[in-house]
């Protein structure tokens, strides 16, 4: 358990979420649901998954209470709502508004597939959301259908435009390249985003699929992404420090536009990680690839005080490993897929 003495840079009741390697978690990813309205081939099977029972899922009040503990007692300064697909959570706008009321200075964002964003972007902005990250792996409708198994490309495009109009910027686009499907489309995806003022981030596919079919050999690496882009664009490293950001940024044709690459597998950035995750059923995960969780839901429902919940959270973070260990021969993929963990 963490020492009870507060960190000298924090108010008296606040302790940083520090692990044994000195990393401090200030970025909280909150999964609001494991449900999703797409069936992306690198995430889940075509028939979908067995969804979490409603009774296991945190209520809106419970979500807000744990976020309050994280902000007021543990020093969290950024909250990102994830899923599954967070837009399918009926109480999302209310949760965002109540989170904004906790501390106006905390950055609030959402990672979404963009379906439904056209009708909710304005309400989310009014509730206090700062920006959105939208997953979009291709700008070809036929490839989108092949990857997601749903004909919803135009809905995503409309959602991106609505987010921009509502002031939820900078609008960021997350893309995963899949060998044999869209790995030849990186340049056109970047050009499409540049033309619209969106900030593109390519992400290496990670071993978090429900089918456990990921292989390092099948993954499109950061080096391959650069090779695909080099034929059409000149990329130079951005000058600003990367800090704890997962994306390595590059100026496109001298800037000011940038493109990012999140090379979680081939260029891990675990030493600078500042993230902690809360699942939709109230489990703390100190790493995306953790195989152990700490149950805050049961403690909360059994009457734990905010101070006791904070202590449990601190203890969970203290045990964080030095890195995700994908290169270790003993590495085991987490039992939960990405849709049940939250991005």
């Amino acid at each position: 358990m963490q020492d009870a003495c507060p960190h000298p840079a924090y108010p008296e009741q606040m302790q940083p979420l520090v692990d044994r390697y000195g990393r401090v978690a200030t970025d909280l990813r909150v999964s609001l649901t494991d449900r999703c309205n797409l069936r992306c081939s690198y995430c889940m099977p075509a028939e979908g998954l067995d969804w979490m029972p409603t009774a296991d899922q945190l209520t809106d009040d419970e979500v807000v209470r744990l976020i309050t503990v994280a902000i007021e007692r543990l020093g969290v300064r950024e909250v990102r709502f994830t899923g599954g697909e967070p837009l399918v959570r009926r109480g999302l706008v209310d949760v965002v508004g109540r989170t904004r009321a906790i501390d106006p200075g905390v950055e609030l964002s959402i990672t979404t597939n963009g379906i439904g964003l056209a009708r909710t972007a304005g309400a989310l902005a009014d509730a206090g959301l700062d920006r959105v990250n939208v997953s979009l792996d291709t700008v070809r409708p036929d490839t989108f259908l092949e990857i997601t198994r749903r004909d919803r490309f135009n809905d995503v495009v409309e959602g991106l435009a609505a987010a921009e109009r509502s002031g939820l910027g900078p609008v960021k686009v997350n893309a995963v390249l899949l060998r044999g499907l869209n790995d030849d489309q990186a340049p056109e995806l970047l050009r499409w985003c540049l033309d619209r003022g969106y900030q593109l981030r390519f992400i290496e596919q990670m071993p978090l699929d429900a089918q456990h079919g990921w292989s390092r050999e099948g993954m499109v690496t950061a080096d391959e992404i650069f090779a695909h882009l080099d034929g059409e664009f000149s990329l130079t490293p951005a000058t600003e420090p990367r800090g704890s950001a997962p994306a390595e940024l590059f100026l496109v044709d001298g800037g000011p536009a940038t493109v990012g690459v999140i090379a979680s597998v081939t260029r891990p950035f675990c030493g600078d990680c500042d993230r902690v995750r809360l699942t939709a059923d109230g489990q703390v995960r100190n790493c995306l690839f953790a195989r152990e969780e700490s149950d805050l839901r049961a403690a909360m429902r059994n009457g734990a005080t905010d101070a006791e919940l904070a202590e449990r959270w601190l203890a969970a973070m203290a045990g964080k490993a030095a890195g995700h260990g994908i290169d270790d021969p003993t590495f085991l993929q987490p039992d939960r897929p990405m849709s049940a963990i939250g991005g």
Side-chain angles (χ1 to χ4, degrees):
M1 184 70 69
Q2 291 277 318
D3 190 283
C5 296
H7 190 280
Y10 285 68
E12 184 175 353
Q13 74 166 2
M14 191 180 292
Q15 294 176 255
L17 276 171
V18 62
D19 64 33
R20 54 185 166 176
Y21 299 98
R23 297 167 297 191
V24 179
T26 57
D27 181 343
L28 172 62
R29 309 295 173 93
V30 180
S31 175
L32 295 176
T33 179
D34 62 333
R35 290 168 169 78
C36 188
N37 42 18
L38 295 181
R39 296 292 181 270
C40 297
S41 58
Y42 56 85
C43 185
M44 64 176 69
E47 65 273 16
L49 300 168
D50 292 330
W51 304 130
M52 183 184 300
T54 301
D56 291 349
Q57 184 174 278
L58 295 178
T59 66
D60 291 354
D61 288 345
E62 289 171 336
V63 170
V64 173
R65 181 183 175 192
L66 290 179
I67 293 174
T68 303
V69 170
I71 292 172
E72 294 185 346
R73 294 179 176 270
L74 301 171
V76 162
R77 302 307 301 161
E78 178 177 352
V79 177
R80 180 179 300 184
F81 298 102
T82 70
E85 172 45 50
L87 291 182
V88 306
R89 173 93 181 212
R90 292 185 178 180
L92 172 62
V93 173
D94 182 60
V95 169
V96 170
R98 293 169 66 185
T99 301
R100 171 54 66 217
I102 299 168
D103 186 338
V106 170
E107 181 177 327
L108 302 184
S109 60
I110 186 173
T111 294
T112 170
N113 62 28
I115 296 175
L117 193 55
R119 66 175 181 271
T120 56
L124 287 168
D126 291 344
L129 194 72
D130 292 307
R131 61 178 182 83
V132 297
N133 285 41
V134 178
S135 299
L136 181 63
D137 304 320
T138 178
V139 292
R140 300 181 189 178
D142 57 339
T143 307
F144 183 92
L145 175 59
E146 187 174 5
I147 292 174
T148 68
R149 305 184 179 104
R150 297 292 187 272
D151 188 12
R152 306 296 298 272
F153 174 74
N154 289 334
D155 294 322
V156 180
V157 173
E158 292 170 6
L160 282 162
E164 183 75 22
R165 289 194 303 270
S166 300
L168 296 175
V171 173
K172 296 184 179 181
V173 173
N174 297 336
V176 176
L177 295 184
L178 304 170
R179 198 173 303 285
L181 280 176
N182 65 338
D183 54 335
D184 61 339
Q185 298 177 28
E188 68 185 80
L189 183 53
L190 177 53
R191 178 64 63 195
W192 190 88
C193 289
L194 292 173
D195 289 345
R196 290 158 178 78
Y198 305 148
Q199 296 185 3
L200 178 61
R201 303 289 184 263
F202 289 104
I203 304 176
E204 287 183 337
Q205 183 188 358
M206 293 176 282
L208 291 167
D209 59 305
Q211 308 92 308
H212 287 210
W214 178 92
S215 72
R216 195 180 185 99
E217 295 72 26
M219 178 191 68
V220 179
T221 67
D223 286 345
E224 291 178 275
I225 294 170
F226 294 130
H228 286 302
L229 295 175
D230 280 344
E232 187 170 334
F233 303 96
S234 172
L235 302 183
T236 54
T239 54
E240 62 266 26
R242 177 178 177 179
S244 59
E248 188 176 359
L249 294 183
F250 298 85
L251 299 174
V252 180
D253 295 334
T258 63
V259 63
V261 177
I262 301 176
S264 304
V265 178
T266 63
R267 303 183 184 186
F269 39 87
C270 301
D272 295 312
C273 181
D274 67 348
R275 288 167 292 287
V276 60
R277 288 171 170 80
L278 181 67
T279 66
D281 55 351
Q283 310 299 307
V284 171
R285 294 181 65 89
N286 58 30
C287 174
L288 189 59
F289 297 95
R291 292 188 59 81
E292 295 181 354
E293 300 175 335
S294 181
D295 188 355
L296 296 185
R297 183 195 64 201
M300 181 167 50
R301 292 180 178 179
N302 287 329
T305 65
D306 286 357
E308 290 168 340
L309 292 171
E311 285 298 316
R312 286 176 173 269
W313 210 323
L314 287 161
M317 283 303 297
K320 184 172 181 175
H324 55 49
I326 292 176
D327 283 333
D328 191 310
T330 64
F331 174 79
L332 292 174
Q333 183 173 329
D335 293 330
R336 290 198 199 224
M338 175 66 92
S339 60
I341 294 173

